[in-house]
Amino acid sequence: MSARLPRGGRLIDRAATVEFTFNGKRMRGCQGDTLASALLANGQLLVGRSFKYHRPRGIVASGAEEPNALVGLGRDRRFEPNARATTTELHEGLEALSQNHWPSLEFDLGAVNGFLSRFLPAGFYYKMFLHPRSFWKHVYEPFIRQSAGLGRAPAHRDADRYEQMHAHVDVLVVGGGIAGLAAARAAGKAGARVLVVEQTAHWGGRVTDAGTIDGIEAAAWVEKVVSELETMSNVRLRLRTMGSGVYDHGYVLAAERLTDHDPDRGGPRQRLWKIRAAQVVTATGAIERPLSFAGNDVPGVMLASAVRDYVVDYGVSPGDRTVVVTNNDDGYRTALALVAAGLQVPAILDPREAPGGELVEAARAEGLRILTGRAVAKVKGVARVEGVAVCAAAGEGAVLDEIACDAVAMSGGWSPVVHLWSHCGGKLWWDEAQAMFRPDAERAPTGADGQPFVRAAGAADGDLTTPAAVTSGHRAGVAAAKAAGHGKRAPAAPKAEAPAEGPILPVWVMPAAAGADLKSKMWLDFQNDVKVSDVELAAREGYESVEHAKRYTTLGMATDQGKLSNINGLAVLSQSLGEAIPQVGTTTFRPPYTPITLGAIAGEARGALFQPLRRTAIHGWHEAQGAHWEPVGQWRRPYAFPRAGESVEAAVQREVRNVRDGVGLLDASTLGKILVKGPDAGRFLDMMYTNMMSTLPVGKCRYGLMCNENGFLIDDGVVARIDEDTWLCHTTTGGADRIHAHMEDWLQCEWWDWKVFTANLTEAYAQIAVVGPHARDLLDRLGGMDVSAEALPFMQWADGTLGGFPVRVFRISFSGELSYEIAVPAGQGLALWEALVAAGEPFGVMPYGTEALHVLRAEKGFIMIGDETDGTVIPQDLGLDWAVSKKKADFLGKRAQERTHMTDPTRWKLVGLETIDGSVLPEGAYALDAGRNANGQRNTQGRVTSTYHSPTLGRGIAMGLVRHGPDRMGEVLDFTNGKGGTVKARIVSPVFYDPEGEKQNV
């Protein structure tokens, strides 16, 4: 029976007792236990049920490859399904629930599926759920939904916090075993910036198996190297951090567990690392393979390495009498560890006829019974192992002997963890001698320069012995540092010794006992209940592609992702097809390596912060002045600045009048600022905008329109030419990220060979609009540069100094008044604003918000993206034909705007609207037309896009789109008033104020 051993357990503190519950039952473990080791110490072998047949499932592994021991952790707002017991660190008060059963783990009615197995073969769902179609809604769909999934989804909002971190390094080492530490030390000594991430809570991996390195025990060597790395300022070490995925351009995601093991500590629960690395070293180790024999899924059948881990690391016995079945020397290591712990090994079954090597000889010296040329015919037992039937490794599976035992340790060789290597296109080669796929260094993932940026090391590269792993890690670290531009002398390679191991006999499927029933089938995928016979059936039914066979049988899907089942499944498929494994190929490994919580992926983006909340450098000043806020994209902008006892509407009217008569300040920092630079920048902008930008002289500005490929207007703004190959493009507040992404999409996907670079500088600069008849007076009083009409004409810009601040001043206007927009580094934005406020006191300076901005621009007939546009509007609809080049051969949207429906003369066009009674038209009101449509609704001939009360004109004004609008000046239309009635409005020019533009040109 499984229990805590009286001695041993290098990772636990026996003096520190930890209490926890499993399915409501109180249990005790030790500090340092995993949930899996603590369950075994309490004699809890049964931990779950399989997905399809609901068969009893026990712990089979000790790490992230565990397919069976998936549990729900916690409760209510701190509940997480499908957590691996093998990687969950035990802590006081931990609550765990087994999954996929009803009404209980011990008595599960779902087990009836096992008796129906002949009706539920591989791919049965493809065949069963086709006919009759009438069954889909009320029979099939509810059944599928009820059956889908293993755990239950959380029902409450997550109470924990999560954070994200960005890191830029020269070398990222994924894996903290001996190979990873050797790589990190070599790269660090060479001067590279190094980050090492290790998914467990301990450095060194299976260091107790490693022999000696540099003349000392491997464990002491690990401790020495870690201490050395901790003193290096250019090296960072992170435990409990899983390398999740490798992407293009050296982008890597890693998930760090911060308080999972200590939830009472406070702070974020997990952290998602977003890493940019010049070089990546994957030292992710290898996973031991199971063997396929009848009953290999019975609780108590475990990987030999896992049995060894529980005995050596946690002082836990998976069983009192353990039969070891192995096709390689490493299984003997487990047998020796069991004997050293005082446990019995009734027999070692080895299908090889004449195994040799140090480990085999050591087992013989211990007097262990070694049965060569033998295999397991069948494991006896249902809910736990009771014994094994032994047969010849070759033959019909006739039972030669029966051995009583309560555990089976199986070892089918090792598979390098090639997942991260494969994520970004790394290819593999088949090592026949070791029966494994290994990373092909000649076909490594490459960067934009065509050079490899991912290197495998240690067991992840197929180097399974200690000397090979240490040498491989050191070599990878030196090469990675050199490729990252660090050529300092690296330390000498460590020298290691380890027991020699014999060859592997790749016995993929062992003979089954004659007449074996369902309970003694040979399983490949323990989680999804995929049998050897399922893969053979897939091959017979024509699913010869490994990807097709995977989906037909569900082999290696769900949380397993082929970690245990992949190679054995490929071997069965290759045997069924009569082809070699390399010809059959492998399935595609995709990130994440192990699941990441949605909380870590979202980070702080939840609730009110679902999108990042952006504030300008002047936000605090606005808040202190009682600003009434408006969300604009991800920004918060002042809508108005109401004074004590003043309504928001009255504040807007006051701010508009002050701009028209005096001077106002607007925080325009949120406007997009995208730098476009390069020899082909002008050519690129000519394609982006409807008018010419390449001809814009240095020092001048030009208003531009941007359309998508369908011809519809998506943004507008002022473009300034900075120098011969540099332009600065202003966008709308909500459009900065979107337009920058739009630019990059075209550059990366269509014009990838153009020499153009873009940078979103929106948050790098504060921008302040100084607007009104006294704007120039205010800047002259501040002093420092000439802003006269002669020195700085309309639609030009200049660099200089104002009040001691280095500034770039744009002479542009969105109000029709004399206006300057002043850009300054964001860190100086508040200081400049306060200086402008102080200098403007004699002129009655006031801040104004976004609503006054809208009223001012509407009085001038200036359009607003999002108001006058709705995704179906083209520039010609808005009377902006003058901004659409007739000379350019092409620009985005040009051909689309020439389509018949785009040139239809009945399209609605922009006009101004004034109500007869001076009232304000409702936003979105429709202009009614004669007759009714097919739905009995009144026909329409236009709609209101923007509508305001103008304090300048003392009446309501509006802009709208009306059929033949520009040709119908003076005509009166009926508009809906939102209350079932109508209001009359006259079509007028959209420019209500200063139609000649005299005020902005002074």
Side-chain angles (χ1 to χ4, degrees), residues 277-627:
Q279 292 283 302
V280 179
V281 176
T282 61
T284 44
I287 294 175
E288 191 170 30
R289 292 193 292 264
L291 291 167
S292 296
F293 47 81
N296 61 343
D297 69 327
V298 175
V301 180
M302 301 173 64
L303 296 176
S305 58
V307 170
R308 189 163 71 247
D309 288 341
Y310 290 118
V311 169
V312 174
D313 292 342
Y314 303 103
V316 171
S317 162
D320 295 333
R321 291 172 53 84
T322 303
V323 169
V324 176
V325 54
T326 178
N327 65 359
N328 64 94
D329 288 8
D330 199 69
Y332 290 81
R333 198 189 310 275
T334 295
L336 293 169
L338 289 168
V339 171
L343 300 169
Q344 298 182 48
V345 179
I348 300 174
L349 306 181
D350 193 330
R352 298 176 295 180
E353 291 296 338
E358 294 181 28
L359 292 171
V360 177
E361 294 307 319
R364 288 196 174 106
E366 287 287 343
L368 294 178
R369 180 188 181 196
I370 302 174
L371 302 178
T372 60
R374 294 292 182 267
V376 173
K378 175 183 177 181
V379 174
K380 301 176 68 177
V382 178
R384 65 167 304 121
V385 172
E386 298 174 1
V388 296
V390 181
C391 65
E396 296 302 321
V399 175
L400 304 177
D401 192 8
E402 290 189 0
I403 303 174
C405 61
D406 54 10
V408 175
M410 56 182 172
S411 178
W414 294 84
S415 296
V417 177
V418 297
H419 297 65
L420 297 186
W421 171 273
S422 302
H423 284 172
C424 208
K427 304 302 180 183
L428 307 173
W429 68 280
W430 177 251
D431 183 341
E432 190 69 36
Q434 298 193 85
M436 63 172 64
F437 278 106
R438 301 176 62 175
D440 187 346
E442 299 298 319
R443 298 182 293 167
T446 56
D449 58 358
Q451 298 301 310
F453 74 91
V454 181
R455 303 168 193 277
D461 198 26
D463 298 316
L464 300 182
T465 66
T466 301
V470 171
T471 301
S472 171
H474 177 82
R475 184 171 57 245
V478 171
K482 184 177 180 181
H486 295 272
K488 293 181 181 178
R489 181 178 177 81
K495 297 181 180 179
E497 296 182 1
E501 298 187 21
I504 294 174
L505 178 62
V507 179
W508 308 111
V509 180
M510 293 188 170
D517 59 13
L518 174 72
K519 294 182 175 62
S520 57
K521 295 292 185 182
M522 294 177 280
W523 303 90
L524 295 171
D525 189 318
F526 302 118
Q527 186 177 105
N528 295 310
D529 284 329
V530 180
K531 308 182 295 293
V532 169
S533 59
D534 291 329
V535 176
E536 293 172 339
L537 174 63
R540 289 197 302 272
E541 295 194 349
Y543 293 92
E544 300 180 0
S545 163
V546 63
E547 295 288 3
H548 291 165
K550 171 183 176 179
R551 284 153 182 81
Y552 191 66
T553 63
T554 70
L555 176 75
M557 296 179 70
T559 61
D560 177 64
Q561 286 299 298
K563 293 180 179 65
L564 288 187
S565 59
N566 194 47
I567 292 297
N568 288 354
L570 290 176
V572 173
L573 182 62
S574 70
Q575 290 173 353
S576 300
L577 297 175
E579 297 180 1
I581 288 180
Q583 277 64 56
V584 174
T586 63
T587 55
T588 302
F589 297 108
R590 296 184 177 89
Y593 176 63
T594 58
I596 301 177
T597 60
L598 292 176
I601 294 172
E604 293 289 351
R606 53 191 290 183
L609 298 180
F610 181 72
Q611 290 185 324
L613 184 59
R614 295 181 174 179
R615 299 179 175 91
T616 72
I618 314 168
H619 184 95
W621 189 95
H622 301 325
E623 200 164 41
Q625 298 300 311

